[in-house]
Amino acid sequence: MDTIGIRLETAIKKLKITKKEFANSIDYSPGNVTDWIKGRYKPSAKALINMENVYNLSQKWLIYGEGDIFIIKNTSPSNNDELTKDEFNLLNDYRNLDDYQRGKVRGYIDGLVDKSVCK
């Protein structure tokens, strides 16, 4: 049977970060995260809101196991404050690169931007 703890552990693995990084980013201790994963306690409403705000982690998925793990709040390209699903996926891929690979990507993007400005 799936639990909040199992789902939370799954989400952290999908984010490809450590439990400590996850805990720090949502303003909780690593011990809290371990307790949630092991089922000792359930995350508070504040913790769930922080997870959604920082990682777009679906509260519905965490609590009930329904829907997608991550939510996209607004995929409208006219709203520059929100990421499209494609942008969100690209950002996650970028975060998994090492510094050298990120530099290569940055150089490639800079080259594309420079070419489009010259047109």
Side-chain angles (χ1 to χ4, degrees):
M1 181 165 113
D2 248 2
T3 64
I4 290 174
I6 290 169
R7 287 188 289 274
L8 180 58
E9 189 169 39
T10 298
I12 293 169
K13 286 178 183 175
K14 284 198 173 279
L15 290 166
K16 297 182 181 175
I17 59 175
T18 66
K19 292 175 193 170
K20 182 177 180 179
E21 290 169 322
F22 181 81
N24 291 336
S25 67
I26 62 166
D27 296 324
Y28 281 84
S29 74
N32 287 129
V33 173
T34 297
D35 286 343
W36 300 333
I37 289 171
K38 291 191 176 200
R40 292 185 189 125
Y41 303 101
K42 292 184 180 176
S44 66
K46 180 183 175 198
L48 292 169
I49 290 168
N50 288 358
M51 291 177 209
E52 182 176 317
N53 288 339
V54 174
Y55 294 107
N56 288 331
L57 192 54
S58 168
Q59 293 180 43
K60 184 177 180 181
W61 180 80
L62 270 173
I63 296 168
Y64 304 109
E66 298 173 2
D68 293 327
I69 296 176
F70 300 104
I71 57 173
I72 304 299
K73 294 182 180 180
N74 183 354
T75 59
S76 170
S78 63
N79 184 345
N80 290 331
D81 293 335
E82 301 289 340
L83 296 176
T84 65
K85 188 171 185 173
D86 187 48
E87 290 167 332
F88 182 78
N89 290 334
L90 284 169
L91 181 58
N92 278 333
D93 289 344
Y94 180 80
R95 287 178 175 168
N96 293 318
L97 300 176
D98 62 31
D99 288 340
Y100 174 77
Q101 292 167 321
R102 287 180 182 178
K104 298 279 280 180
V105 169
R106 181 79 255 164
Y108 181 74
I109 291 172
D110 288 345
L112 289 174
V113 171
D114 287 343
K115 289 177 184 177
S116 65
V117 169
C118 295
K119 289 184 178 182

